[in-house]
Amino acid sequence: MTGQLTTGIATLCHEIVTRVSSDAGQQVRQISNRLHDPLRVAIAGRLKAGKSTLVNAMIGRRVAPTAAGECTRVVTRFRYGPADRIDVVTRDGERHSLPLDDDGMVPARLGVPATRIAYVDVALTSDRLRDLTVVDTPGLASTDTAGSARAEAAVGIDDDSADEVAAAEAVVYVFTQAVRADDVRALEAFHTASARLATSPINAIGVLGKVDTLVGGAGDPWPVAEPLARQQAGLLLRTVGDVVPVAGLLAETTTAGRLTGTDRDALAALAALPADDLRILLLSADLFRTRPAPLGPDQRERLLIRLDLYGIGYACALLAAEPRLGTGELVRRLCAASGLDRLTATVDQTFRWRSDAIKAGWALTRLERLASFDPQSRPVIRDAVEQALRDPAYHRLRLLDAAQRAATGAVTLPPDWEQELIRLATSDDPRWILRLPEADAGQLASAAVLAAGRWRAYAVDGAGPAQARLAHVAHRGFQLLAQEVRQCRT
């Protein structure tokens, strides 16, 4: 998965790999290979927040264990592979292969003490992983200090595991109910323990998980979930770019193919009950298990495990309205009701375009670090990097850095200016950047020139030193945007 910037850096690596020392050449190859990997997203959240359930939904297979065990205490990477395979990677670099268990999941016991494990590498044949690698992190605990030792203890990420997490281009934080003070502290601990992963609203989103538990029984949670997600987004304004509500269990069941034709028939039998009987049945899990109904105890428990009361109630409503609804269409509608489609779209829109710049910036940083530690290769590497940065296309890296500084509050800008800078850094759509959805190319070019002038004026009159540096970056960005629009026009 490469874009214009990463392609350029990969070409740079190819050109210099034979001109540097053998040790440096090996690292240059590793950097180049990493540029071709899919988008990597780390999933973080408190214990029992539903992280692993969300991972399974994103992968499209129930493979990540959701019950506490050895594998939930270590970093686990899920990536595409030609065959299903599990490798436990220890801190000394050894790999210990394991099969999936009888249920097709990562086994609860890994055969290696958790203290020796750097991460677990899981290759799967899931098509969803062809352009997405998911990194499941240990559940966060709260912490009262930003000290690295406490942070590592709370997060469960040591230096070896942090390398795997820090390679992610983006982060999804999973919350339940309301954001508490210790949730925020736990996130700060995650930042500390994985400091090499520069998280900000530019490359992080939140998920309000388990929304189906927000109201009692089979009640509709969405009138509560939507405003609660907006409230969380406001509380975490400097941490995540958005908060998306998701019914994780419903998403996992429908994407992992866990709802069968037999389940559909059982739901249809429930849907045929008198409305008052069904309503009472769905008031609580205990009533669902014990009240008279045309299902045996095993089938009832199976539906609860896969759908919970909200999913059962929603499925019954669909089947009551359309008794001939087939299993495939029922699954599709239940998936739509889970909110997963919105999360997938948000990940795609929020991260994929930016990942080209994020990866390129990561690679350049690694190359510059390599040059500082290898005097023999230093001139070759630095000359190549300097030559690459002369390309105007790489100004996007400076824009992304400026936007991150503004979005995290490291540099304070007026709210409207901050949002304009973030749009410029995170999109290639001039109509969206300039908020002119109906404008033609000429109008867009003129608006970009005016925006460049505004930022230039702000930089020289009214901005402090830190704000001025960001303003100069934005000024140049709008100049380049105007040039691009004119070129497209001709």
Side-chain angles (χ1 to χ4, degrees):
M1 180 180 176
T2 56
Q4 178 186 4
L5 302 183
T6 48
T7 298
I9 300 300
T11 301
L12 179 155
C13 291
H14 177 73
E15 291 173 347
I16 68 173
V17 70
T18 59
R19 299 167 52 202
V20 297
S21 67
S22 58
D23 288 344
Q26 182 178 357
Q27 294 187 55
V28 169
R29 289 188 187 92
Q30 292 174 352
I31 292 170
S32 180
N33 291 338
R34 176 70 183 88
L35 291 171
H36 296 280
D37 286 351
L39 174 70
R40 189 175 299 195
V41 177
I43 312 297
R46 291 180 58 81
L47 295 167
K48 307 304 291 182
K51 283 189 306 88
S52 296
T53 300
L54 183 66
V55 167
N56 290 332
M58 295 177 70
I59 292 173
R61 285 178 57 174
R62 193 168 187 268
V63 65
T66 55
E70 289 180 357
C71 52
T72 61
R73 298 197 298 268
V74 298
V75 173
T76 305
R77 176 178 64 178
F78 297 93
R79 60 180 177 83
Y80 180 80
D84 292 348
R85 177 187 176 94
I86 303 173
D87 284 332
V88 178
V89 183
T90 59
R91 294 184 181 185
D92 56 10
E94 291 185 1
R95 301 179 78 92
H96 303 264
S97 296
L98 293 173
L100 295 171
D101 68 14
D102 293 341
D103 294 323
M105 302 181 69
V106 176
R109 295 189 175 275
L110 299 174
V112 178
T115 54
R116 290 188 55 211
I117 297 173
Y119 66 97
V120 178
D121 182 24
V122 182
L124 300 170
T125 55
S126 172
D127 284 341
R128 290 172 180 256
L129 292 174
R130 287 184 181 274
D131 58 357
L132 179 71
T133 294
V134 179
V135 180
D136 192 5
T137 66
L140 306 180
S142 63
T143 179
D144 297 322
T145 177
S148 60
R150 285 278 295 177
E152 288 176 5
V155 181
I157 300 175
D158 55 28
D159 284 343
D160 297 295
S161 301
D163 286 335
E164 185 62 24
V165 178
E169 286 86 42
V171 180
V172 173
Y173 292 121
V174 185
F175 305 98
T176 57
Q177 303 281 325
V179 177
R180 302 179 307 212
D182 57 350
D183 282 304
V184 177
R185 288 195 296 269
L187 290 180
E188 291 170 351
F190 183 85
H191 283 244
T192 302
S194 56
R196 281 158 284 183
L197 173 53
T199 54
S200 75
I202 302 298
N203 70 330
I205 59 175
V207 167
L208 171 58
K210 298 185 178 181
V211 300
D212 47 325
T213 64
L214 290 176
V215 296
D220 183 2
W222 292 103
V224 177
E226 292 287 358
L228 182 56
R230 288 194 295 271
Q231 181 187 58
Q232 286 186 335
L235 291 171
L236 299 168
L237 183 64
R238 297 301 185 187
T239 304
V240 299
D242 194 9
V243 174
V244 181
V246 176
L249 179 61
L250 197 57
E252 178 193 62
T253 294
T254 52
T255 58
R258 303 191 71 214
L259 202 68
T260 66
T262 301
D263 296 324
R264 181 262 174 215
D265 293 343
L267 291 164
L270 292 176
L273 289 172
D276 287 345
D277 290 350
L278 180 59
R279 180 179 57 80
I280 295 173
L281 194 68
L282 294 176
L283 285 176
S284 72
D286 285 342
L287 287 171
F288 186 78
R289 290 186 177 102
T290 58
R291 292 278 297 180
L295 303 181
D298 290 345
Q299 183 64 64
R300 298 189 201 201
E301 197 63 31
R302 176 182 169 89
L303 292 179
L304 279 174
I305 290 172
R306 282 159 173 74
L307 298 175
D308 210 349
L309 293 173
Y310 166 62
I312 295 170
Y314 190 76
C316 288
L318 291 172
L319 289 165
E322 300 181 52
R324 299 177 64 85
L325 194 66
T327 304
E329 181 61 16
L330 175 64
V331 168
R332 190 192 69 77
R333 295 191 191 182
L334 289 173
C335 184
S338 73
L340 182 66
D341 289 346
R342 177 180 166 189
L343 174 62
T344 302
T346 301
V347 168
D348 186 69
Q349 295 167 9
T350 303
F351 298 149
R352 291 190 194 279
W353 183 84
R354 302 174 194 177
S355 70
D356 181 37
I358 295 170
K359 279 186 180 181
W362 169 85
L364 288 174
T365 299
R366 291 294 298 270
L367 288 170
E368 290 167 353
R369 185 181 305 167
L370 175 60
S372 67
F373 286 105
D374 190 331
Q376 179 182 344
S377 306
R378 186 176 301 156
V380 173
I381 296 174
R382 287 186 172 170
D383 287 349
V385 169
E386 183 179 342
Q387 181 66 32
L389 290 175
R390 290 174 186 162
D391 186 338
Y394 285 88
H395 187 73
R396 196 196 309 170
L397 302 183
R398 296 186 177 91
L399 280 170
L400 201 62
D401 178 69
Q404 285 178 326
R405 292 175 184 274
T408 57
V411 178
T412 303
L413 294 174
D416 290 346
W417 295 71
E418 176 184 319
Q419 291 304 311
E420 185 174 61
L421 174 58
I422 291 173
R423 292 197 304 274
L424 178 62
T426 59
S427 177
D428 59 354
D429 181 355
R431 290 183 174 84
W432 187 75
I433 294 169
L434 297 164
R435 290 190 169 178
L436 295 172
E438 306 298 329
D440 59 28
Q443 292 169 325
L444 290 171
S446 298
V449 170
L450 288 173
R454 286 198 312 274
W455 281 97
R456 173 66 176 172
Y458 177 62
V460 299
D461 185 14
Q467 288 84 0
R469 284 192 290 271
L470 268 59
H472 284 301
V473 172
H475 165 250
R476 177 60 174 157
F478 276 110
Q479 283 185 323
L480 292 172
L481 180 63
Q483 292 176 14
E484 291 171 7
V485 171
R486 291 192 189 103
Q487 289 171 358
C488 292
R489 184 183 182 185
T490 58

